[in-house]
Amino acid sequence: MHTEFPALLGAGLILLFIFYLGYLAIKIKLPNVILYIILGIILADVLHDNELLHFASEIGIVLLFFLLGLEFNVERLGGIAKRIWPSGLLDVVLSLGVTTGIAFLFGLSPFESFLVGGIVYATSSSITAKLLDDRGRMANTETEFMLAILIFEDLVAPIVVAILFGVSSGESFTSLTFLLLVGKIIGLTALAIVLGKTVFKKFERFLDRIDDEDFKIALLIGIALSYGGLALFLGLSEVLGAFLAGMMLAEIGRIEKVEQTVFPVRDLMLPTFFIYFGTTINLGDGVPMAGLLISIVVWSIFSKVLLGIIGGPLYGLSKRASMRAGFSLCARGEFSVVIASVATGMMKVFSGLYIVIAAFIGMILFEQAPKITNKVYGKPVKKKRNLKVPGS
């Protein structure tokens, strides 16, 4: 009789947990990302260093960034950059730059400080987009600005991960190492653009000739994993490689053909990434660096509010819409988890606690954003229409 716990049974139970927590998240209106991380923390002793879970989580995060890259062909990237770059750079300075400086003042090393800055930098696209839809704010004037900021952050986040991954590889990091790292990123990006403009330009017609979805899944996921693996081989992050693989295929006419094939696999695998991240957090030693944690939480909220107040008008928003946008951009989530996965030891615990706290506070501030704006600027006055009676 086998006494060892079967891996197949464990995988089945994990999938059932994922279903239950996803269903619970809908009922209690909480981001499922947070529940998955908490599950990972609870099961840390059982699942820590589980190779099967780790491999599934790698596939999930690669497919997430692959599908994200599908949204950005070269022309679209240029169009977004022209309008949002002033506010986007302000976001980089406030959320990434200043946060890195704060962490450094608390005595962290340059690498650890930049890691904290990276974790604080990106707003959660999934949480923010879901709240915009659930609360009926998709048609608001500030929504376009918010989505543009999310897109800008989505473009910067893979580069931040690539730099952190390169620095954490264990080699001594010099100016020459940095130039080599930048050269690899530029080379991998240039190759993706060339392949997208040549090999994959007529890829849509090739996909149309493939009737069997099984073969299509193998092809598309194979492309995503291969380019992600190439990035790893070059000492970069698989996240950057997967994003660039998506950019290659973004050159085809109808990306929905790719999305509808890959979406189910991503949705199955992605929760395992957040669960695996949770298993790497050890809360046995209490809250690490409590003073820094409080300072970073406060600044991360203030920086996004400031981004809205200053960056909104740069984008053409009114003061009222700009403040609403700022208070609605405070939630952190999936990209912070990706960047935090580079951390180890107490930095991993610190990162996990920050993400959970920032996600909850961000959701509350999103809900209260219209009320806070009304308290500052007063309730908007509805314009009365002067209707003239014909003949008067």
Side-chain angles (χ1 to χ4, degrees):
M1 182 177 177
H2 291 288
T3 55
E4 188 177 341
F5 194 80
L8 190 64
L9 176 58
L13 291 174
I14 289 290
L15 291 176
L16 290 175
F17 274 127
I18 289 171
F19 162 76
Y20 174 72
L21 292 178
Y23 180 76
L24 181 64
I26 295 172
K27 288 294 183 183
I28 64 177
K29 297 181 179 179
L30 272 179
N32 51 21
V33 170
I34 302 301
L35 297 183
Y36 295 147
I37 292 174
I38 292 172
L39 174 64
I41 293 172
I42 294 171
L43 299 179
D45 292 337
V46 179
L47 297 175
H48 187 63
D49 290 333
N50 185 287
E51 291 184 9
L52 182 63
L53 181 63
H54 181 235
F55 185 69
S57 71
E58 289 281 294
I59 295 175
I61 203 63
V62 162
L63 295 183
L64 170 67
F65 277 84
F66 173 66
L67 288 168
L68 181 64
L70 275 174
E71 302 294 331
F72 305 105
N73 56 34
V74 177
E75 288 75 16
R76 190 186 177 202
L77 285 177
I80 292 169
K82 285 179 184 177
R83 193 172 175 197
I84 197 59
W85 74 265
S87 302
L89 288 180
L90 176 66
D91 188 20
V92 172
V93 171
L94 291 174
S95 296
L96 179 58
V98 176
T99 304
T100 300
I102 293 172
F104 188 73
L105 290 175
F106 269 83
L108 298 187
S109 68
F111 170 74
E112 291 173 332
S113 300
F114 186 65
L115 175 65
V116 172
I119 292 165
V120 169
Y121 169 61
T123 300
S124 170
S125 297
S126 62
I127 294 175
T128 305
K130 190 174 190 311
L131 288 173
L132 282 170
D133 187 46
D134 290 348
R135 304 302 179 263
R137 287 176 53 184
M138 278 296 186
N140 283 20
T141 53
E142 73 273 11
T143 299
E144 182 182 314
F145 166 74
M146 291 172 61
L147 294 176
I149 285 290
L150 293 177
I151 290 169
F152 190 92
E153 291 179 346
D154 292 349
L155 297 175
V156 174
I159 299 172
V160 173
V161 175
I163 293 172
L164 286 168
F165 190 87
V167 177
S168 64
S169 60
E171 301 176 6
S172 57
F173 199 72
T174 63
S175 56
L176 182 62
T177 311
F178 178 74
L179 288 174
L180 183 62
L181 180 64
V182 172
K184 288 178 182 178
I185 294 172
I186 293 172
L188 198 65
T189 304
L191 178 62
I193 293 172
V194 170
L195 289 174
K197 292 291 185 181
T198 54
V199 176
F200 292 104
K201 196 70 177 176
K202 299 178 181 179
F203 195 66
E204 184 180 3
R205 273 181 277 174
F206 178 69
L207 282 180
D208 287 335
R209 292 202 296 268
I210 303 175
D211 295 325
D212 197 319
E213 282 293 322
D214 294 340
F215 294 129
K216 197 180 292 185
I217 288 175
L219 172 65
L220 295 174
I221 294 180
I223 291 171
L225 296 182
S226 296
Y227 214 76
L230 176 61
L232 278 176
F233 182 74
L234 294 174
L236 301 173
S237 165
E238 71 273 28
V239 162
L240 178 64
F243 181 84
L244 292 174
M247 271 185 59
M248 288 191 296
L249 294 185
E251 297 298 331
I252 70 176
R254 293 171 57 194
I255 61 170
E256 59 269 18
K257 291 182 179 180
V258 178
E259 290 175 332
Q260 67 186 14
T261 302
V262 179
F263 267 138
V265 185
R266 183 209 64 179
D267 291 342
L268 178 66
M269 295 293 186
L270 187 57
T272 62
F273 173 79
F274 301 110
I275 294 172
Y276 181 78
F277 176 77
T279 65
T280 63
I281 299 173
N282 182 7
L283 297 178
D285 296 327
V287 179
M289 300 175 284
L292 176 60
L293 181 62
I294 294 170
S295 301
I296 291 299
V297 169
V298 173
W299 171 250
S300 66
I301 294 167
F302 185 70
S303 65
K304 293 301 182 183
V305 174
L306 208 57
L307 169 65
I309 292 172
I310 299 174
L314 292 175
Y315 194 78
L317 296 182
S318 66
K319 290 182 179 180
R320 179 184 294 275
S322 297
M323 178 171 283
R324 226 172 20 237
F327 278 104
S328 302
L329 286 169
C330 296
R332 305 310 198 273
E334 65 278 8
F335 290 118
S336 298
V337 174
V338 174
I339 294 170
S341 63
V342 180
T344 56
M346 296 305 289
M347 285 303 300
K348 178 85 77 174
V349 179
F350 175 88
S351 304
L353 287 172
Y354 167 77
I355 293 166
V356 172
I357 293 169
F360 277 114
I361 293 177
M363 289 174 56
I364 294 170
L365 289 176
F366 187 99
E367 297 281 357
Q368 298 300 317
K371 294 180 181 178
I372 295 171
T373 304
N374 288 340
K375 285 184 178 180
V376 174
Y377 292 108
K379 291 186 178 180
V381 180
K382 293 182 179 180
K383 294 181 179 179
K384 295 181 179 179
R385 293 183 180 181
N386 295 321
L387 299 176
K388 293 185 178 181
V389 179
S392 60

